[in-house]
Structure formats: structure tokens, C-alpha cells
Amino acid sequence: MPVHVLDHPLAAHIITHLRDKTTKPATFRTLAYQISLLLAIEATQRIETELKPIETPLEPMQSRVLAHQPLIVVPILRAGLGMVQPFTDIFPDVSVGYVGLERDHETAKPRSYYCKLPPLAGRHVFLVDPMLATGGSAVQALSIVKEHGATDATLVCIVAAPEGAVEVEKHHPGTVIHTAALDRELNARKYILPGLGDFGDRLYGT
Ligand code: PRP
Ligand code: URA
């Protein structure tokens, strides 16, 4: 399965503080921003570049810049919103779409409540959602962006459960997943163990 786990001492440090139940929402938001910035850099390693003729103070040269097409980032609401700003901060051209999905507390199945996407035909999408638990939300979001024409999508999350990664591979084989942590398992209520609890609630203090 193409699951890439972020391997950096700073990522480990940030994840530890995100997991810590005493971390308050304001700090949690800052940490979510920081880890998402590291993930944004990692996940976009292979985006297209093109040569641009420039002149340094000493001589002309051809040097690489990001290719003209804007990067497309789609957060799964609501928790995914906490991962968008690092992408918009570092990429000069970025289009942001939104997919709203909410897990039913009893069944853990996702329910769709919102969708607003830029043109996706032929485009590669970076789908961002901090938690990959059963994989139900990611699978549905991947189907939605593909129905809107995306040819390909990369999933970027902060904590993933093995069950979720298997589910994504089953329904969307070959999807690349970038995560800051690959955890042990899901509990009976489909929460990730050891995990960090409900990301959306901790992000927004609800
Ligand atoms: C969380 C999380 C994912 C989903 C993961 O969202 O942000 O979208 O659960 O679970 P799954 O892999 O089992 O589908 P939630 O439904 O709690 O909504 P929220 O972002 O509004 O808090
Ligand atoms: N959603 C979360 O926010 N946390 C989990 O552990 C599982 C789903």
C-alpha cells in the first residue's frame, strides 16, 4: 500500500503534543498548522515544474518554477479546514474546493452535507483530512472528486489507522497516502488508538 509516514524529529514532537489530552485548542490549532505544513511540503514533492529563463546579477540561466496550473486542495469539512492554510501560505497558485462529510456517531458512516469544487477535469487533487479511521469519509471524498473529473488524488492526513488505509486501497487502488502517524487500530466506536481523540472537537473547542 502506498502509505508514506512523515519521518522527521519535529513531526514526532508535534504529534506527541497533538495527542496529549491536556493540549488546549489554541495550541492544538498551531500544532495542526505546523504538522500540516510539513505534510504539505512532503506530499507535493513530485508536483510539476517548468523551466523559466531568468537573469541572475551575473548571467542568464534557465531555472525551475512551479508549473502554471494551480494546485488543487480539497479539505473534508470540518476538521480538514485545519490543514488548508499551510497549502495556501506556501503555494502561490492554489484553488481550494470543499467537501462536507460528517460521520454518524452510531454507525460511523459518513453523510455528505456540502460540496463546492473548482473545475477538476484532468487535475490532480490533494485531499486533506487529519483523521483516516474506517476510511469511509476518505473513500467517499475520493469518489466525489473523481466524479467531478479529477484523474488522480493524494490523501494527506495527520493520523491514519491501518483499517482506513486498507479501505482506501480497496476502493481506490494506488491512492498515495501521506500521514504523520500510522497508528495501531480502531476501537469499538471506530476511534483511532492511540490516536488523539476527535480532531474537529479539539481544533474548534466543541
Ligand atoms: C472525522 C475526520 C474524518 C472522519 C474520519 O470527521 O475528520 O473526516 O472523521 O473517519 P472515517 O475514516 O471513519 O470516515 P467527523 O465526521 O468527526 O466530522 P468533523 O470533521 O466535522 O468533526
Ligand atoms: N475522527 C476523529 O476525529 N478521530 C478519530 O479517532 C476517528 C475519527
Side-chain angles (χ1 to χ4, degrees), residues 78-79 103 108 129-134 137 159 161 183 185-187 189-202:
R78 141 195 85 140
R103 272 196 348 170
D129 188 337
M131 306 303 278
L132 177 65
T134 65
S137 304
V159 181
D183 274 11
E185 60 184 346
L186 298 178
N187 70 8
R189 294 183 54 228
K190 310 295 183 199
Y191 274 78
I192 301 172
L193 296 175
L196 50 72
D198 189 306
F199 197 98
D201 283 350
R202 297 195 62 193

